[in-house]
Amino acid sequence: MTTVAIDFIEITEVEYLSGYKIKLLFNNEKQRIIDFEPFLRRSQHPEIRKYLDLKRFKQFTFEYGHLHWNDYDLSFSNDDLYDKQIG
């Protein structure tokens, strides 16, 4: 098994699965499936809760190794996504 040495965590691929679940592949070849629904439902902030609209949630952008919504209106650090710490 080959170990990939990296200086920072970066997302290399993003795949929408279903509901509020997105599969992420990172530059160290690890994969994570993140379910954003619990985070969105717990939030009391209307600017975050608006992404409970599934059509809006699916309009995420993946560019330059980062996942975000509406030009960083909603975003998470790559380290937090890697560690599944989005709440």
Side-chain angles (χ1 to χ4, degrees), residues 26-65:
F26 292 88
N27 59 337
N28 65 352
E29 301 177 2
K30 300 288 183 182
Q31 171 183 292
R32 301 286 189 260
I33 295 174
I34 308 293
D35 184 356
F36 290 88
E37 185 173 13
F39 168 78
L40 295 172
R41 293 212 180 274
R42 278 193 311 268
S43 177
Q44 298 300 308
H45 198 287
E47 290 299 309
I48 293 174
R49 290 189 61 84
K50 70 184 178 185
Y51 291 98
L52 284 168
D53 175 345
L54 199 51
K55 182 178 177 185
R56 183 173 287 186
F57 178 80
K58 289 180 179 181
Q59 294 175 345
F60 61 85
T61 302
F62 171 62
E63 59 187 359
Y64 308 113

Side-chain angles (χ1 to χ4, degrees), residues 58-76:
K58 289 180 179 181
Q59 294 175 345
F60 61 85
T61 302
F62 171 62
E63 59 187 359
Y64 308 113
H66 296 279
L67 174 68
H68 63 89
W69 287 260
N70 195 25
D71 197 26
Y72 292 91
D73 182 44
L74 178 65
S75 65
F76 303 89

